[in-house]
Amino acid sequence: MNTNFQSYNQQQNWLFPPSIEELVPIEHPVRVVNGIIEQLDLNLLIEEYSKEGKPSYHPKMMLKVMVYAYMDNTYSSRKIERAMRENINFMWLAAQQVADHNTIARFRSKKLKSIFKDIFKQVVLLLAEEGLITLKEVFTDGTKIESVAGRYTFVWGNAIKTRKEKMVEQLEEMWQYAQSIADEEDSDPVPPDFKKIDSEKVERTANKIAEIISKNPRASGRAKAKLRYIQKNFPQNLDRYEEQEKTLAGRGSYSKTDPDATFMRMKDDHMQNGQLKPGYNVQLSSESQFVIHYTLHQTTNDLNTLKPHLDTFESLYEFLPEQLTADAGYGSEENYEFLEEKGIGTYVKYSTFDKEQGILKSKRKKKNEGFHRDKLYYSQEQDHYICPMGQPMENIGERKGKTKSGYLQKSSMYQAQNCQGCPLRTGCFKAKGNRIVERNHALEGYKEKVRENLLSEMGIIKRRQRTADVEPVFAQIKSNRNFNRFTHRGIEKVELEFGLHALAHNLRKKSA
């Protein structure tokens, strides 16, 4: 029998019991959390507490526990409470105090909600003081993260519009029917204006139709049944649609169980087929793989997020970065103009940059690609294009339009002189008449400047750095830490949730 074992006795007492301090390794990440938060000014957080009533747990202790919990992938308030009882690292941070899960949940959702960005900023500035970042150049990108809302709880703006149009059609049909059987006394050749309908207008119109039908014995039973349906359902449906449109606030969709979430095309499902799910568009700026700034948006693309993202950056830090690098999802006249006005060095691709440089090759070559507008020669001096047959396409005027954000754009229109009988007609274009092409001079000017920046020695370095800087941050948070879905509802709460993940990422990287 082998008796070569170390001594094991659970009843053995310690002559000098160890302290918790001795049980936490010197290089452990929990010490980084403790050291960083000890340097922060928490006056804003302290002001969230009342001076009356039962003494609260110290906000510094609660903040340390909360941040370390996210570093430890412990997000549930009940699991955090259990960790404060059982986990030596949590016990050390909390000085062996144990807050119940309700207190932890209230601290996260109420105390941190309005002041967390200030805490995040202070940590970023401490990283800058240590020389880990400069805050002068940032790499910006976006990703979509699914909401905790139900995946089949959608409300679509287009569906509401279609239903209202069908209501108008039925009302007009009923009005015409009523007029066809109306007496001369009730006849009204001018129909109501149904361009904008509401419950009151529908109710008035339905009552007028009912009055005409009730007087005429020739009214069909089908018409009476249809009218009863309109009177019963249309007003309340319109009130509901009006409330839904207020919630949409210009968006194309929202979720019934998380009205702030918009249905977006996600690429992270097991089929990799881009399913529509409720979610938020997370915008992130990084430097040296540290998160510098983050914002959450309800828009489905990145194009209209750059300005509000940088506006909040400036509001938070009271300055802007000197250089910004981003992919083609942000390349627009509005964004280029904004970056130029702010004096930010721009390394932001436009949609066709990679194709121009041969970086992006389409899997299937499009027919007649050689006749595309970008392939035509444009003479800046004479302000005209040259068509594939060598004939000038003269400027015939301007077209103005507004983007979804309200930005005004102007484009010049150029028309060919005589396309009839041209041997290249079938390959050049298919519309009737002479071909017209459009040119946004302001955008083309910005593209020329950006192209020069991107193709410079510094631009090549920036483009390589972007894929190695901001994208690994998303990979670390979403894939390595398995954060693919929010656990809270409402844009304020999910922004705080992502902020805790971003802060935990920064401290985890610092301690690596």
Side-chain angles (χ1 to χ4, degrees):
M1 182 176 178
N2 185 1
T3 59
N4 188 24
F5 300 118
Q6 295 187 20
S7 175
Y8 174 67
N9 182 359
Q10 288 181 287
Q11 280 71 46
Q12 177 68 50
N13 291 325
W14 293 77
L15 180 61
F16 298 105
S19 67
I20 296 180
E21 176 76 26
E22 295 172 345
L23 300 178
V24 178
I26 296 297
E27 302 297 328
H28 198 281
V30 73
R31 292 190 179 273
V32 174
V33 174
N34 186 70
I36 288 288
I37 294 178
E38 283 290 340
Q39 299 178 61
L40 303 183
D41 178 2
L42 300 181
N43 285 329
L44 290 178
L45 178 58
I46 292 170
E47 288 175 4
E48 294 291 318
Y49 288 81
S50 173
K51 296 180 181 179
E52 301 176 355
K54 182 181 177 181
S56 304
Y57 290 105
H58 201 287
K60 183 185 291 186
M61 180 274 286
M62 295 294 292
L63 181 60
K64 290 178 181 179
V65 168
M66 184 61 64
V67 173
Y68 182 69
Y70 274 75
M71 286 183 68
D72 194 52
N73 287 12
T74 306
Y75 314 130
S76 163
S77 55
R78 293 181 183 274
K79 290 182 178 179
I80 295 173
E81 177 188 350
R82 188 171 67 184
M84 293 177 76
R85 297 182 188 277
E86 301 174 357
N87 188 306
I88 196 70
N89 298 317
F90 283 88
M91 293 168 67
W92 177 68
L93 280 178
Q96 294 185 277
Q97 294 180 330
V98 179
D100 67 88
H101 60 274
N102 287 324
T103 301
I104 295 168
R106 282 195 300 271
F107 176 78
R108 174 169 49 193
S109 63
K110 295 183 178 180
K111 305 300 183 185
L112 287 179
K113 182 173 67 174
S114 61
I115 55 89
F116 182 77
K117 275 290 183 75
D118 180 73
I119 292 171
F120 182 85
K121 176 189 74 171
Q122 290 187 60
V123 173
V124 170
L125 293 177
L126 285 175
L127 296 174
E129 286 180 11
E130 293 185 31
L132 297 173
I133 55 176
T134 65
L135 293 175
K136 293 182 179 180
E137 56 177 0
V138 297
F139 301 89
T140 300
D141 202 356
T143 191
K144 297 176 179 67
I145 299 180
E146 187 180 351
S147 166
V148 72
R151 296 174 183 176
Y152 305 103
T153 59
F154 35 74
V155 174
W156 299 101
N158 284 338
I160 294 173
K161 182 181 177 182
T162 301
R163 292 182 191 126
K164 290 174 75 173
E165 288 173 352
K166 287 182 178 179
M167 283 183 176
V168 170
E169 288 177 9
Q170 292 180 53
L171 278 169
E172 288 177 341
E173 183 181 328
M174 284 301 299
W175 179 264
Q176 294 300 328
Y177 174 79
Q179 293 303 308
S180 70
I181 64 171
D183 298 332
E184 187 175 345
E185 179 185 345
D186 295 322
S187 179
D188 187 356
V190 181
D193 181 11
F194 292 122
K195 290 182 179 179
K196 290 185 179 180
I197 59 172
D198 54 41
S199 57
E200 291 183 5
K201 183 182 289 186
V202 168
E203 199 168 343
R204 288 196 306 271
T205 305
N207 290 339
K208 179 65 176 176
I209 295 171
E211 183 182 341
I212 296 172
I213 288 178
S214 64
K215 291 180 181 180
N216 198 311
R218 294 186 296 117
S220 68
R222 184 180 178 185
K224 291 178 181 178
K226 195 171 185 179
L227 179 61
R228 285 195 298 271
Y229 179 83
I230 289 174
Q231 289 176 312
K232 181 180 178 181
N233 295 287
F234 279 22
Q236 63 184 30
N237 286 350
L238 281 170
D239 286 338
R240 186 174 77 252
Y241 295 154
E242 188 176 341
E243 290 299 318
Q244 290 174 340
E245 285 174 332
K246 286 180 182 177
T247 304
L248 283 167
R251 291 180 289 158
S253 64
Y254 75 86
S255 167
K256 293 176 184 176
T257 51
D258 183 5
D260 286 348
T262 304
F263 276 79
M264 304 179 178
R265 196 165 296 282
M266 306 285 181
K267 298 179 182 178
D268 55 356
D269 60 281
H270 64 286
M271 296 294 290
Q272 292 290 305
N273 58 2
Q275 293 183 358
L276 285 170
K277 299 176 184 176
Y280 295 90
N281 188 347
V282 179
Q283 295 294 309
L284 184 149
S285 291
S286 70
E287 183 186 359
S288 301
Q289 295 185 3
F290 286 100
V291 180
I292 306 302
H293 184 50
Y294 64 91
T295 51
L296 266 73
H297 305 263
Q298 297 169 292
T299 54
T300 56
N301 60 48
D302 296 335
L303 200 65
N304 296 322
T305 63
L306 187 63
K307 286 177 68 175
H309 181 74
L310 289 176
D311 283 339
T312 54
F313 186 108
E314 186 175 23
S315 176
L316 186 65
Y317 293 104
E318 298 181 350
F319 62 86
L320 283 166
E322 296 177 3
Q323 298 174 346
L324 183 138
T325 307
D327 64 16
Y330 303 88
S332 71
E333 178 189 351
E334 182 178 7
N335 288 339
Y336 290 142
E337 181 183 283
F338 176 79
L339 292 168
E340 187 175 86
E341 288 176 353
K342 296 293 184 179
I344 299 174
T346 304
Y347 299 90
V348 179
K349 294 180 183 178
Y350 47 89
S351 59
T352 58
F353 175 80
D354 284 343
K355 193 174 181 181
E356 286 178 3
Q357 307 307 314
I359 300 170
L360 180 66
K361 296 181 179 179
S362 57
K363 295 180 181 179
R364 186 180 298 175
K365 191 173 181 179
K366 294 181 180 179
K367 292 182 180 179
N368 308 325
E369 192 173 347
F371 293 99
H372 190 272
R373 189 214 69 176
D374 291 342
K375 301 290 184 180
L376 303 180
Y377 172 75
Y378 172 73
S379 171
Q380 190 168 358
E381 292 181 0
Q382 300 181 16
D383 189 25
H384 66 213
Y385 275 97
I386 299 297
C387 81
M389 279 294 291
Q391 301 299 317
M393 302 176 71
E394 301 296 343
N395 189 330
I396 60 171
E398 278 191 343
R399 187 179 73 86
K400 297 179 181 179
K402 283 188 177 181
T403 64
K404 286 185 177 180
S405 64
Y407 180 78
L408 181 64
Q409 289 183 319
K410 296 180 182 179
S411 297
S412 296
M413 313 299 290
Y414 299 85
Q415 187 174 41
Q417 301 301 308
N418 186 15
C419 295
Q420 188 175 1
C422 176
L424 301 178
R425 170 68 183 260
T426 55
C428 187
F429 80 113
K430 295 181 179 180
K432 294 181 180 180
N434 295 328
R435 183 180 178 183
I436 297 176
V437 297
E438 188 175 339
R439 181 183 178 87
N440 184 331
H441 290 281
L443 178 58
E444 294 300 326
Y446 287 125
K447 285 168 65 175
E448 188 174 341
K449 294 177 185 177
V450 169
R451 187 184 300 112
E452 185 178 345
N453 289 347
L454 292 169
L455 295 177
S456 67
E457 185 176 347
M458 178 60 71
I460 295 170
I461 294 172
K462 293 288 184 187
R463 282 188 280 146
R464 290 173 180 169
Q465 281 182 328
R466 188 194 68 80
T467 56
D469 200 294
V470 64
E471 291 181 9
V473 175
F474 283 131
Q476 179 71 18
I477 293 174
K478 294 179 69 175
S479 299
N480 294 355
R481 314 306 298 187
N482 200 30
F483 175 54
N484 293 308
R485 196 179 188 193
F486 288 108
T487 59
H488 294 79
R489 289 177 170 85
I491 192 166
E492 289 185 351
K493 289 184 178 180
V494 297
E495 185 172 46
L496 172 60
E497 184 177 359
F498 186 83
L500 285 164
H501 280 284
L503 181 57
H505 168 83
N506 285 349
L507 297 184
R508 193 183 296 115
K509 180 169 177 59
K510 184 181 185 306
S511 62

